[in-house]
Amino acid sequence: MEIICNIAEMSAWSSAQAAAGKSIAFVPTMGCFHAGHLSLMRQACQLADYLVVSLFVNPLQFGPKEDLETYPRDFDRDAAMASEAGVNVLFAPTAADIYPAGFQSQVNVEVLSQRLCGASRPGHFSGVTTIVAKLFHLVRPQVAVFGRKDFQQLCVISRMVQDLNFGIKIIAHPIVREPDGLAMSSRNCYLSEDERHSALCLYKAIKHARQMVRQGARDTKTVLAAVHGLILTYPSVRIDYISIVDRFALNEQIVIDQDSVLLLAIRLGRTRLIDNDVLLEGDGI
Ligand code: AMP
């Protein structure tokens, strides 16, 4: 595995592959790899001649009171895991290289970025779309893999790729969970033992909602009330939002249908956790 740390080198590598007629798959990450990241990488490996993974903790997508400083970082461990997973290039640029003095351009996906996580994290999604657009230009992949874990991010990026004609195929990868159901996340390491127990409320709530829908419930309000009640039986949980939306436009729904997704965001102490699943389809939890 090659490690590339500056953008000129990354760009040159991508140009050389294009000239040689080779295809590139891409997985952008913020590092602190877990089995979810590795699963994306393994899928992406199958999709092109080469796999590039970026590792960049993007300051632009963190709010002033968020965890940019404390976000877990372990480059050597990540590099070893990426190499093992079959990554060809690990691209780990510096913030100074990505955002040099004078940097002032941003990519904004207007409507999708404002709701749900965007409402509690103002500016977050323009940080995400800006870095992903820059990485797409530097890596020049034909295909990129994103996790369904960050469902709204997937929608926002798909919209950006379509609106701005990136010509990159976006693949959605299923959520990878711990044996007890908690969605894997680099932020799970922040949780105390008690918080880790309470974090399971997300998975339990999704399971419960899917069961209600399987048994015929279609009224959004009824399902949301049940989910709300269940989550609040777990100690220390603060609900950020619970929402049932259609999976494309993320519009709130009144009646549950094939396109309905339940999206959840909670806070446990200083940790913010998200989870989601479709409600009617068979391929969920
Ligand atoms: P991150 O490093 O948290 O920015 O995540 C990098 C990519 O991995 C994103 O596309 C995430 O959606 C995806 N990802 C993170 N955790 C999971 C998970 N538990 N299951 C599936 N994909 C995930």
Side-chain angles (χ1 to χ4, degrees), residues 157-173:
I157 285 170
S158 302
R159 189 75 245 173
M160 174 187 82
V161 164
Q162 192 180 332
D163 287 353
L164 301 183
N165 307 100
F166 273 88
I168 296 169
K169 186 165 186 204
I170 302 298
I171 305 282
H173 189 87

Side-chain angles (χ1 to χ4, degrees), residues 28-30 34 37 40 71 146-147 149-150 153 174-176 184:
T29 80
M30 298 207 300
H34 50 64
H37 292 113
L40 263 68
Y71 195 84
F146 289 84
K149 158 86 176 13
D150 299 276
Q153 170 174 286
I175 299 178
V176 178
M184 291 194 178

Side-chain angles (χ1 to χ4, degrees), residues 104-218:
Q104 53 186 286
S105 304
Q106 296 218 19
V107 179
N108 247 317
V109 174
E110 296 290 345
V111 179
L112 289 178
S113 296
Q114 303 302 322
R115 47 192 66 171
L116 301 162
C117 287
S120 11
R121 306 183 69 189
H124 169 69
F125 285 114
S126 56
V128 169
T129 39
T130 301
I131 187 63
V132 171
K134 281 177 69 89
L135 292 169
F136 280 172
H137 288 312
L138 294 168
V139 175
R140 296 166 57 190
Q142 284 69 46
V143 56
V145 181
F146 289 84
R148 279 221 177 100
K149 158 86 176 13
D150 299 276
F151 190 85
Q152 187 176 7
Q153 170 174 286
L154 185 59
C155 291
V156 168
I157 285 170
S158 302
R159 189 75 245 173
M160 174 187 82
V161 164
Q162 192 180 332
D163 287 353
L164 301 183
N165 307 100
F166 273 88
I168 296 169
K169 186 165 186 204
I170 302 298
I171 305 282
H173 189 87
I175 299 178
V176 178
R177 297 178 179 279
E178 300 285 355
D180 67 357
L182 178 66
M184 291 194 178
S185 163
S186 305
R187 289 188 168 101
N188 289 350
C189 66
Y190 296 153
L191 299 170
S192 68
E193 209 175 304
D194 289 346
E195 290 168 347
R196 173 66 180 77
H197 173 260
S198 285
L200 250 200
C201 71
L202 293 167
Y203 176 69
K204 299 284 185 192
I206 291 171
K207 258 188 108 156
H208 184 63
R210 281 180 59 85
Q211 191 187 357
M212 285 180 78
V213 172
R214 220 172 12 248
Q215 289 169 350
R218 291 293 181 274

Side-chain angles (χ1 to χ4, degrees), residues 255-284:
V255 177
I256 292 165
D257 63 21
Q258 287 300 126
D259 293 331
S260 299
V261 187
L262 171 64
L263 295 169
L264 307 167
I266 60 164
R267 288 179 199 276
L268 274 167
R270 67 186 181 114
T271 311
R272 187 171 179 280
L273 298 176
I274 56 174
D275 204 341
N276 71 84
D277 201 5
V278 290
L279 284 174
L280 248 175
E281 238 184 30
D283 70 345

